[in-house]
Short mmCIF file of all heavy atoms in Angstrom, two decimals:
data_model
loop_
_atom_site.label_atom_id
_atom_site.label_comp_id
_atom_site.label_asym_id
_atom_site.label_seq_id
_atom_site.Cartn_x
_atom_site.Cartn_y
_atom_site.Cartn_z
N TRP A 132 4.25 19.75 -1.48
CA TRP A 132 4.33 20.88 -0.56
C TRP A 132 5.65 20.80 0.20
O TRP A 132 6.05 19.72 0.66
CB TRP A 132 3.19 20.84 0.46
CG TRP A 132 1.85 21.14 -0.12
CD1 TRP A 132 0.91 20.24 -0.55
CD2 TRP A 132 1.29 22.44 -0.34
NE1 TRP A 132 -0.20 20.91 -1.01
CE2 TRP A 132 0.00 22.25 -0.90
CE3 TRP A 132 1.74 23.74 -0.11
CZ2 TRP A 132 -0.83 23.33 -1.23
CZ3 TRP A 132 0.91 24.80 -0.45
CH2 TRP A 132 -0.35 24.60 -0.99
N PHE A 133 6.31 21.94 0.30
CA PHE A 133 7.49 22.10 1.12
C PHE A 133 7.23 23.24 2.09
O PHE A 133 6.32 24.05 1.89
CB PHE A 133 8.72 22.44 0.26
CG PHE A 133 9.26 21.27 -0.51
CD1 PHE A 133 8.64 20.82 -1.67
CD2 PHE A 133 10.41 20.61 -0.09
CE1 PHE A 133 9.13 19.74 -2.38
CE2 PHE A 133 10.91 19.53 -0.78
CZ PHE A 133 10.27 19.09 -1.93
N ARG A 134 8.04 23.33 3.14
CA ARG A 134 7.91 24.45 4.07
C ARG A 134 9.29 24.87 4.55
O ARG A 134 10.23 24.09 4.55
CB ARG A 134 7.03 24.08 5.26
CG ARG A 134 7.59 22.99 6.18
CD ARG A 134 6.56 22.60 7.22
NE ARG A 134 7.06 21.56 8.12
CZ ARG A 134 6.33 20.98 9.06
NH1 ARG A 134 5.04 21.32 9.25
NH2 ARG A 134 6.86 20.05 9.84
N GLN A 135 9.36 26.14 4.93
CA GLN A 135 10.62 26.67 5.45
C GLN A 135 10.33 27.58 6.62
O GLN A 135 9.62 28.59 6.48
CB GLN A 135 11.39 27.43 4.37
CG GLN A 135 12.78 27.84 4.81
CD GLN A 135 13.65 28.29 3.66
OE1 GLN A 135 13.18 28.65 2.59
NE2 GLN A 135 14.97 28.25 3.87
N ALA A 136 10.86 27.20 7.76
CA ALA A 136 10.73 28.01 8.97
C ALA A 136 11.91 28.97 9.05
O ALA A 136 12.96 28.72 8.46
CB ALA A 136 10.71 27.09 10.19
N PRO A 137 11.76 30.06 9.77
CA PRO A 137 12.86 31.03 9.88
C PRO A 137 14.13 30.38 10.41
O PRO A 137 14.12 29.66 11.41
CB PRO A 137 12.30 32.05 10.89
CG PRO A 137 10.83 31.94 10.78
CD PRO A 137 10.55 30.50 10.49
N GLY A 138 15.22 30.63 9.69
CA GLY A 138 16.51 30.12 10.12
C GLY A 138 16.74 28.65 9.86
O GLY A 138 17.75 28.09 10.29
N LYS A 139 15.79 28.02 9.15
CA LYS A 139 15.93 26.58 8.88
C LYS A 139 15.93 26.30 7.39
O LYS A 139 15.52 27.13 6.58
CB LYS A 139 14.78 25.81 9.56
CG LYS A 139 14.81 25.87 11.07
CD LYS A 139 13.79 24.93 11.67
CE LYS A 139 13.88 24.91 13.18
NZ LYS A 139 12.89 23.96 13.78
N GLU A 140 16.38 25.10 7.04
CA GLU A 140 16.37 24.66 5.65
C GLU A 140 14.95 24.36 5.20
O GLU A 140 14.07 24.03 6.00
CB GLU A 140 17.22 23.39 5.51
CG GLU A 140 18.69 23.56 5.83
CD GLU A 140 19.40 24.36 4.75
OE1 GLU A 140 19.11 24.12 3.55
OE2 GLU A 140 20.23 25.21 5.09
N ARG A 141 14.71 24.48 3.89
CA ARG A 141 13.43 24.09 3.34
C ARG A 141 13.22 22.59 3.57
O ARG A 141 14.15 21.80 3.39
CB ARG A 141 13.37 24.42 1.85
CG ARG A 141 12.03 24.13 1.21
CD ARG A 141 11.89 24.85 -0.12
NE ARG A 141 13.01 24.65 -0.99
CZ ARG A 141 13.19 25.30 -2.13
NH1 ARG A 141 12.29 26.20 -2.52
NH2 ARG A 141 14.25 25.08 -2.88
N GLU A 142 12.01 22.23 3.93
CA GLU A 142 11.71 20.86 4.36
C GLU A 142 10.57 20.28 3.54
O GLU A 142 9.55 20.95 3.31
CB GLU A 142 11.30 20.89 5.84
CG GLU A 142 10.82 19.58 6.41
CD GLU A 142 10.22 19.73 7.81
OE1 GLU A 142 9.72 20.82 8.11
OE2 GLU A 142 10.24 18.75 8.56
N PHE A 143 10.71 19.05 3.11
CA PHE A 143 9.64 18.34 2.42
C PHE A 143 8.49 18.09 3.38
O PHE A 143 8.70 17.71 4.53
CB PHE A 143 10.17 17.00 1.90
CG PHE A 143 9.10 16.08 1.37
CD1 PHE A 143 8.62 16.23 0.09
CD2 PHE A 143 8.58 15.08 2.18
CE1 PHE A 143 7.62 15.39 -0.40
CE2 PHE A 143 7.59 14.23 1.71
CZ PHE A 143 7.12 14.38 0.41
N VAL A 144 7.26 18.28 2.90
CA VAL A 144 6.08 18.02 3.71
C VAL A 144 5.28 16.85 3.15
O VAL A 144 5.01 15.88 3.85
CB VAL A 144 5.18 19.27 3.79
CG1 VAL A 144 3.91 18.96 4.59
CG2 VAL A 144 5.93 20.44 4.41
N ALA A 145 4.89 16.94 1.87
CA ALA A 145 4.06 15.90 1.27
C ALA A 145 4.15 15.99 -0.24
O ALA A 145 4.43 17.07 -0.79
CB ALA A 145 2.61 16.05 1.72
N ALA A 146 3.91 14.87 -0.92
CA ALA A 146 3.89 14.84 -2.37
C ALA A 146 2.75 13.94 -2.84
O ALA A 146 2.30 13.05 -2.12
CB ALA A 146 5.22 14.33 -2.92
N ILE A 147 2.32 14.18 -4.08
CA ILE A 147 1.20 13.43 -4.65
C ILE A 147 1.45 13.18 -6.12
O ILE A 147 1.98 14.05 -6.82
CB ILE A 147 -0.12 14.22 -4.41
CG1 ILE A 147 -1.35 13.39 -4.77
CG2 ILE A 147 -0.11 15.56 -5.15
CD1 ILE A 147 -2.64 14.02 -4.28
N ASN A 148 1.07 12.00 -6.60
CA ASN A 148 1.27 11.72 -8.02
C ASN A 148 0.12 12.36 -8.81
O ASN A 148 -0.79 12.97 -8.26
CB ASN A 148 1.38 10.22 -8.27
CG ASN A 148 0.02 9.52 -8.24
OD1 ASN A 148 -0.87 9.89 -7.47
ND2 ASN A 148 -0.13 8.51 -9.09
N TRP A 149 0.15 12.19 -10.14
CA TRP A 149 -0.79 12.91 -10.97
C TRP A 149 -2.25 12.57 -10.67
O TRP A 149 -3.12 13.45 -10.74
CB TRP A 149 -0.49 12.63 -12.45
CG TRP A 149 -0.96 11.28 -12.88
CD1 TRP A 149 -0.30 10.09 -12.75
CD2 TRP A 149 -2.23 10.97 -13.48
NE1 TRP A 149 -1.08 9.07 -13.24
CE2 TRP A 149 -2.26 9.58 -13.70
CE3 TRP A 149 -3.31 11.74 -13.86
CZ2 TRP A 149 -3.36 8.95 -14.28
CZ3 TRP A 149 -4.41 11.11 -14.44
CH2 TRP A 149 -4.42 9.73 -14.64
N SER A 150 -2.52 11.33 -10.31
CA SER A 150 -3.90 10.92 -10.12
C SER A 150 -4.39 11.07 -8.68
O SER A 150 -5.59 10.98 -8.42
CB SER A 150 -4.07 9.45 -10.54
OG SER A 150 -3.38 8.61 -9.63
N GLY A 151 -3.44 11.24 -7.76
CA GLY A 151 -3.82 11.29 -6.36
C GLY A 151 -3.78 9.95 -5.67
O GLY A 151 -4.08 9.85 -4.49
N ALA A 152 -3.41 8.91 -6.41
CA ALA A 152 -3.43 7.56 -5.85
C ALA A 152 -2.23 7.29 -4.96
O ALA A 152 -2.29 6.40 -4.09
CB ALA A 152 -3.48 6.54 -6.98
N THR A 153 -1.13 7.99 -5.18
CA THR A 153 0.09 7.78 -4.41
C THR A 153 0.47 9.07 -3.69
O THR A 153 0.49 10.14 -4.30
CB THR A 153 1.26 7.35 -5.32
OG1 THR A 153 0.87 6.20 -6.05
CG2 THR A 153 2.50 7.03 -4.49
N LYS A 154 0.77 8.94 -2.41
CA LYS A 154 1.10 10.12 -1.59
C LYS A 154 2.28 9.79 -0.68
O LYS A 154 2.37 8.67 -0.16
CB LYS A 154 -0.10 10.52 -0.74
CG LYS A 154 -1.35 10.82 -1.56
CD LYS A 154 -2.56 11.08 -0.70
CE LYS A 154 -3.80 11.27 -1.55
NZ LYS A 154 -5.01 11.55 -0.73
N PHE A 155 3.16 10.74 -0.52
CA PHE A 155 4.26 10.64 0.43
C PHE A 155 4.08 11.74 1.48
O PHE A 155 3.65 12.84 1.16
CB PHE A 155 5.61 10.89 -0.26
CG PHE A 155 6.04 9.85 -1.27
CD1 PHE A 155 7.12 10.11 -2.09
CD2 PHE A 155 5.40 8.63 -1.39
CE1 PHE A 155 7.57 9.17 -3.02
CE2 PHE A 155 5.82 7.69 -2.31
CZ PHE A 155 6.92 7.97 -3.13
N TYR A 156 4.48 11.44 2.72
CA TYR A 156 4.45 12.42 3.79
C TYR A 156 5.73 12.34 4.61
O TYR A 156 6.29 11.24 4.81
CB TYR A 156 3.28 12.16 4.76
CG TYR A 156 1.92 12.32 4.16
CD1 TYR A 156 1.22 11.22 3.67
CD2 TYR A 156 1.30 13.57 4.09
CE1 TYR A 156 -0.05 11.36 3.12
CE2 TYR A 156 0.03 13.72 3.55
CZ TYR A 156 -0.63 12.61 3.06
OH TYR A 156 -1.88 12.76 2.52
N THR A 157 6.17 13.47 5.13
CA THR A 157 7.23 13.43 6.12
C THR A 157 6.63 12.93 7.44
O THR A 157 5.44 13.14 7.71
CB THR A 157 7.90 14.79 6.28
OG1 THR A 157 9.10 14.66 7.03
CG2 THR A 157 6.98 15.80 6.96
N ASP A 158 7.45 12.28 8.25
CA ASP A 158 6.92 11.62 9.45
C ASP A 158 6.20 12.57 10.40
O ASP A 158 5.20 12.19 11.04
CB ASP A 158 8.06 10.92 10.20
CG ASP A 158 8.52 9.66 9.50
OD1 ASP A 158 7.81 9.18 8.59
OD2 ASP A 158 9.61 9.15 9.85
N SER A 159 6.69 13.79 10.51
CA SER A 159 6.14 14.71 11.50
C SER A 159 4.71 15.17 11.21
O SER A 159 4.05 15.72 12.10
CB SER A 159 7.05 15.93 11.65
OG SER A 159 7.10 16.65 10.44
N VAL A 160 4.23 14.93 9.99
CA VAL A 160 2.88 15.38 9.65
C VAL A 160 1.92 14.22 9.39
O VAL A 160 0.73 14.45 9.18
CB VAL A 160 2.88 16.34 8.43
CG1 VAL A 160 3.85 17.48 8.65
CG2 VAL A 160 3.17 15.61 7.13
N LYS A 161 2.42 13.01 9.40
CA LYS A 161 1.55 11.85 9.15
C LYS A 161 0.44 11.80 10.19
O LYS A 161 0.66 11.95 11.38
CB LYS A 161 2.37 10.56 9.18
CG LYS A 161 3.24 10.37 7.97
CD LYS A 161 4.04 9.07 8.06
CE LYS A 161 4.93 8.89 6.84
NZ LYS A 161 5.78 7.68 6.95
N GLY A 162 -0.77 11.58 9.69
CA GLY A 162 -1.93 11.54 10.57
C GLY A 162 -2.54 12.90 10.86
O GLY A 162 -3.64 12.99 11.41
N ARG A 163 -1.85 13.97 10.49
CA ARG A 163 -2.36 15.32 10.71
C ARG A 163 -2.60 16.07 9.40
O ARG A 163 -3.53 16.87 9.31
CB ARG A 163 -1.40 16.12 11.59
CG ARG A 163 -1.16 15.53 12.95
CD ARG A 163 -0.36 16.48 13.84
NE ARG A 163 0.94 16.80 13.29
CZ ARG A 163 1.34 18.04 12.99
NH1 ARG A 163 0.53 19.08 13.18
NH2 ARG A 163 2.56 18.25 12.49
N PHE A 164 -1.76 15.84 8.41
CA PHE A 164 -1.88 16.54 7.12
C PHE A 164 -2.34 15.56 6.05
O PHE A 164 -1.93 14.40 6.05
CB PHE A 164 -0.53 17.13 6.70
CG PHE A 164 -0.02 18.28 7.53
CD1 PHE A 164 -0.61 18.63 8.74
CD2 PHE A 164 1.07 19.02 7.09
CE1 PHE A 164 -0.14 19.68 9.49
CE2 PHE A 164 1.56 20.08 7.84
CZ PHE A 164 0.96 20.40 9.03
N THR A 165 -3.14 16.06 5.12
CA THR A 165 -3.59 15.26 3.98
C THR A 165 -3.40 16.06 2.70
O THR A 165 -3.93 17.17 2.58
CB THR A 165 -5.07 14.88 4.13
OG1 THR A 165 -5.27 14.17 5.35
CG2 THR A 165 -5.50 14.00 2.95
N ILE A 166 -2.66 15.49 1.78
CA ILE A 166 -2.46 16.12 0.46
C ILE A 166 -3.49 15.55 -0.50
O ILE A 166 -3.80 14.35 -0.45
CB ILE A 166 -1.02 15.91 -0.04
CG1 ILE A 166 -0.74 16.77 -1.28
CG2 ILE A 166 -0.72 14.44 -0.28
CD1 ILE A 166 0.73 16.76 -1.71
N SER A 167 -4.03 16.39 -1.36
CA SER A 167 -5.00 15.94 -2.35
C SER A 167 -4.94 16.88 -3.55
O SER A 167 -4.27 17.91 -3.50
CB SER A 167 -6.41 15.90 -1.75
OG SER A 167 -6.83 17.20 -1.37
N ARG A 168 -5.66 16.51 -4.60
CA ARG A 168 -5.70 17.36 -5.78
C ARG A 168 -7.01 17.17 -6.51
O ARG A 168 -7.63 16.10 -6.43
CB ARG A 168 -4.51 17.08 -6.70
CG ARG A 168 -4.51 15.69 -7.30
CD ARG A 168 -3.16 15.37 -7.96
NE ARG A 168 -2.86 16.29 -9.04
CZ ARG A 168 -1.63 16.43 -9.57
NH1 ARG A 168 -0.62 15.70 -9.10
NH2 ARG A 168 -1.43 17.28 -10.55
#
């Protein structure tokens, strides 16, 4: 998942590998957002 706010660059939010076992998050969303599949 990426996001883009008005007037700002597109920003990485979270990523997940094929199985869901590995996840990356940007610091600003850790503890608040959960990526899954």
